[in-house]
Amino acid sequence: MYRIGVDVGGTNTDAVVMVGREILAAVKIPTSADITHGLMQAVRDVQAMAKINPADVGLVVVGTTHFTNAVIQRLHLSQTAAVRLCLPAAQCLEPMVDWPADLRTAVGNHSYLASGGVEFDGTPIADFEPAEISRIGADIRARGLKAIAVSGVFAPVRADFEREAGRLLAAECPEASITLSSDIGQIGLLERESATILNSALLALARRTVAALRDGVARCDLVCPVYLSQNDGTLMTAAQAERFPVLTFASGPTNSMRGAAFLSGETEAIVIDVGGTTTDVGLLHKGFPRQASTTVDIGGVRTNFRMPDVFSIGLGGGSLVHDSLPTPRVGPKSVGFDLTRRARVFGGDALTATDIAVAAGCAVIGDASRVHDLQPAFVRRCREVIDRMLEAAVDRSRISAAPIPVIAVGGGSILVPDRLAGLSVIRPEHFAVANAIGAAIAQTSGEVDRIYSLDQLSREAALADAESEARQKAITSGAVPGSIVVTEREDVPLAYLRGNATRVRVKVVGDMEF
């Protein structure tokens, strides 16, 4: 069975057809304002190039920045009610307390505090009050809100209070979409709550977007399942994406890093993904992006769900170049998806980083005669600026002084020299569509993040229990049991909690069965 991977970026939409580990065809087209139109064109073009029968396609995987852009641009967000189970504790800081004012306004700034929540060991903070939740639900319905985010203190340890609150709120507000924080984030109330509110605010957009993706795939005569790539390099079904759109944040850079590992054969490396507008730099560990160990800022909001530790800079193939003294300026503004129309080598009048690469002899693209007037000294200074930007990003991603390969991917990787910061650069075949390849090869996963009391069981038993639950989650998501491997396992003693408490986190991945 064939697999089609699609990555919808801000500048280009890439698509590949794969069977096993073989890449049969790849295409790159400019991204359209209409996500469905661009996806359909890419899928049709790559099928025609590979000369395959649509009936033989087993699945389509899509990576998209659609939901991230909605948060950053404050667009298409639903008014959301944030319900926190915490009283009489955790009431000094209200939900969304550290959000940017314009984003709080976009989601309505509706919050409610109720009795409930648990200690780290699952002991209730206070009795759960069903009548209180029903009253809150009635007020939410009266306000006409159709999105609800429920979070509880230490909900990842014990989620039954959240689930009961969700059931009662659904009874009072049957038209509302409800997200529980225990399904989204990790330990850390404010960050997990913020991620849950963002997810609820995106649910209406997620339903429309997923419906458009399904429709686009169906109009390409494909009858296979549609998956979306998550920000940890694994897959989620279209139905899951409708429920948890925040889990697609940063899936673009993650796809590129997974694709880079696949194409190069390297599992421990630094990946530089150069697009049309930005460059994303991150570290591969065991073939997957290293996960951020701290909170991650999304559109000005601190969240704590799984995210790759990726550093972005305003440098891409479409970055505008200005001749200023003493050094030229490259980026952060870019012509984006207008590169093939506005860059000088394509007949436009904008001087871009791509024009500099062509003038320097680093790439053969467009009409090189249109940049012959650039002075060699100016071109050299521009190259020095670009190299310094890339070297600074690579140095920031390194965790030791030990030599490590650098893998350059993305359509704009023509900007990357053969060596950076003293490290050799690998530019594998099909580097320009690594993001779509990363989507096509994605696996499914299971993850557990929980606090155990080692007064009640041994460390080994706690790790085994977490691994067993993570494996079961992966199997439920469609993983072949025999293919599941542990990619992350850690336990951290929590000296500030009683009961010899230890936080255990285990993640497993496995191949999809289709």
Side-chain angles (χ1 to χ4, degrees):
M1 299 293 287
Y2 300 105
R3 305 189 307 278
I4 296 179
V6 184
D7 189 274
V8 184
T11 303
N12 293 304
T13 294
D14 301 338
V16 298
V17 172
M18 298 183 66
V19 56
R21 297 183 61 85
E22 182 182 1
I23 302 166
L24 301 182
V27 299
K28 181 185 290 286
I29 64 171
T31 293
S32 63
D34 176 5
I35 186 173
T36 305
H37 176 78
L39 179 136
M40 287 174 56
Q41 182 179 344
V43 170
R44 285 172 174 164
D45 288 355
V46 80
Q47 283 187 96
M49 185 178 294
K51 299 179 181 178
I52 60 173
N53 186 338
D56 294 331
V57 176
L59 83 166
V60 175
V61 183
V62 181
T64 177
T65 59
H66 209 58
F67 305 119
T68 312
N69 294 342
V71 174
I72 292 173
Q73 299 173 20
R74 291 21 175 177
L75 296 174
H76 312 299
L77 300 175
S78 300
Q79 298 274 298
T80 302
V83 181
R84 182 194 293 173
L85 308 178
C86 65
L87 298 178
Q91 56 181 310
C92 57
L93 298 176
E94 294 185 352
M96 298 175 278
V97 64
D98 59 346
W99 285 34
D102 60 338
L103 186 54
R104 279 203 310 272
T105 300
V107 301
N109 202 23
H110 305 282
S111 62
Y112 303 84
L113 304 184
S115 301
V118 298
E119 303 285 358
F120 82 95
D121 59 357
T123 303
I125 294 174
D127 291 337
F128 180 77
E129 300 287 349
E132 184 180 19
I133 299 299
S134 295
R135 286 195 298 272
I136 290 174
D139 188 71
I140 292 172
R141 184 181 68 250
R143 296 189 184 198
L145 304 178
K146 300 298 176 62
I148 304 173
V150 182
S151 57
V153 179
F154 278 114
V157 174
R158 180 177 170 182
D160 55 329
F161 286 167
E162 275 195 358
R163 300 199 185 285
E164 179 62 12
R167 186 187 67 80
L168 293 170
L169 290 169
E172 289 289 337
C173 310
E175 296 182 359
S177 299
I178 301 174
T179 303
L180 307 182
S181 78
S182 53
D183 292 331
I184 293 289
Q186 303 169 358
I187 303 298
L189 175 62
L190 292 180
E191 294 82 7
R192 171 166 40 87
E193 179 178 66
S194 291
T196 307
I197 297 170
L198 286 180
N199 191 81
S200 288
L202 288 166
L203 288 176
L205 175 64
R207 286 192 293 270
R208 295 194 301 270
T209 301
V210 171
L213 293 175
R214 284 175 168 149
D215 179 62
V217 169
R219 289 164 65 182
C220 292
D221 300 323
L222 298 172
V223 293
C224 58
V226 178
Y227 290 83
L228 276 77
S229 56
Q230 301 187 80
N231 46 30
D232 65 350
T234 60
L235 296 177
M236 65 194 312
T237 64
Q240 288 175 316
E242 287 180 310
R243 293 182 58 207
F244 307 116
V246 295
L247 297 185
T248 68
F249 287 0
S251 61
T254 300
N255 285 341
S256 295
M257 295 183 71
R258 288 282 291 137
F262 174 85
L263 292 171
S264 67
E266 300 285 348
T267 57
E268 307 289 333
I270 293 174
V271 177
I272 300 177
D273 175 24
V274 189
T277 303
T278 61
T279 293
D280 300 312
V281 184
L283 186 70
L284 279 175
H285 176 58
K286 295 184 179 180
F288 283 84
R290 183 180 65 174
Q291 297 295 293
S293 58
T294 58
T295 58
V296 177
D297 185 288
I298 304 294
V301 176
R302 287 158 46 90
T303 63
N304 71 348
F305 58 94
R306 58 180 185 260
M307 288 284 283
D309 189 4
V310 175
F311 173 59
S312 298
I313 59 175
L315 172 67
S319 294
L320 293 171
V321 177
H322 300 279
D323 186 5
S324 57
L325 295 176
T327 59
R329 286 189 296 111
V330 182
K333 291 186 177 180
S334 169
V335 297
F337 57 77
D338 277 339
L339 176 65
T340 56
R341 183 176 63 86
R342 295 188 56 192
R344 288 180 57 173
V345 293
F346 294 114
D349 58 2
L351 183 61
T352 68
T354 296
D355 297 315
I356 297 299
V358 172
C362 301
V364 181
I365 300 174
D367 184 1
S369 66
R370 296 186 59 85
V371 291
H372 281 170
D373 61 314
L374 297 179
Q375 294 298 316
F378 171 71
V379 173
R380 184 175 62 255
R381 294 202 311 273
C382 290
R383 286 294 316 173
E384 290 171 353
V385 170
I386 291 171
D387 290 354
R388 284 198 299 269
M389 294 173 70
L390 293 171
E391 287 180 347
V394 168
D395 282 339
R396 178 167 172 171
S397 297
R398 296 178 72 173
I399 58 176
S400 74
I404 186 173
V406 175
I407 309 170
V409 296
S413 61
I414 56 173
L415 303 179
V416 183
D418 293 335
R419 291 188 67 82
L420 271 176
L423 302 175
S424 60
V425 175
I426 300 171
R427 195 173 282 101
E429 186 180 6
H430 299 297
F431 66 88
V433 291
N435 46 10
I437 292 170
I441 66 171
Q443 299 169 296
T444 191
S445 67
E447 185 175 6
V448 170
D449 184 355
R450 180 166 300 167
I451 296 176
Y452 290 86
S453 173
L454 299 190
D455 283 350
Q456 301 175 7
L457 76 171
S458 67
R459 171 180 178 273
E460 291 72 22
L463 288 169
D465 180 74
E467 181 178 330
S468 175
E469 184 177 344
R471 286 180 176 273
Q472 188 54 51
K473 286 184 176 182
I475 292 170
T476 301
S477 297
V480 178
S483 71
I484 295 175
V485 296
V486 178
T487 58
E488 296 178 33
R489 182 193 286 114
E490 64 180 9
D491 60 307
V492 180
L494 303 177
Y496 56 88
L497 295 178
R498 66 180 185 273
N500 197 12
T502 294
R503 179 179 180 179
V504 175
R505 180 173 176 269
V506 176
K507 178 181 176 181
V508 302
V509 299
D511 295 329
M512 287 289 296
E513 183 173 15
F514 66 92

